[in-house]
Amino acid sequence: MSAATKSLSATGRRKNATARVRMSEGSGTITINGRPFDEYFATLPLQNAVLAPFQQAKLLNRFDLDVTTKGGGLHGQAGAIRLAVARALTMFDGELRQELKPQGYLRRDPRMKERKKPGQPGARKRFQFSKR
């Protein structure tokens, strides 16, 4: 980061979740919607999903994150934050793109919930067939 840019911001999306990340150099403090990181994501797999781009780039505990996220559930929000963090890291150093792209951290996951169809109870499930 140059002296002119104090912080970087990036946006990530996953399912119906959106995350805006403001990243600045610091000691590794992460706040999500005003709450501490380990309080917001209580389980280890969700925490690892968010920290994965930092671990891949070997930049753990080097940046402070201020995250605003909305929509979706915790898994979708973790995926959205992961994408936003990876995008912010590539803005910080373009060389990191070569490390993050093969792992899939820069790809927006396009999978969405399939809509419910009319005349049936769910997206794929059918009512029980009765011959008589």
Side-chain angles (χ1 to χ4, degrees), residues 43-62:
T43 63
L44 202 58
L46 292 176
Q47 292 175 5
N48 289 338
V50 172
L51 296 175
F54 289 121
Q55 292 169 343
Q56 182 67 34
K58 298 173 184 63
L59 294 173
L60 209 56
N61 296 330
R62 187 168 164 194

Side-chain angles (χ1 to χ4, degrees), residues 54-125:
F54 289 121
Q55 292 169 343
Q56 182 67 34
K58 298 173 184 63
L59 294 173
L60 209 56
N61 296 330
R62 187 168 164 194
F63 294 100
D64 291 338
L65 294 181
D66 184 27
V67 181
T68 304
T69 183
K70 61 182 179 179
L74 287 180
H75 287 274
Q77 288 180 354
I81 294 170
R82 184 180 78 173
L83 176 60
V85 166
R87 286 178 174 173
L89 284 173
T90 57
M91 283 188 238
F92 168 70
D93 184 10
E95 298 295 319
L96 292 176
R97 183 173 178 85
Q98 296 170 348
E99 291 182 37
L100 298 175
K101 190 168 165 69
Q103 301 299 320
Y105 296 140
L106 293 173
R107 183 177 191 275
R108 193 235 190 259
D109 195 340
R111 295 177 294 173
M112 298 288 282
K113 184 175 180 177
E114 191 174 338
R115 76 176 190 89
K116 179 193 171 299
K117 314 307 189 294
Q120 57 192 64
R124 300 279 175 104
K125 188 172 180 174

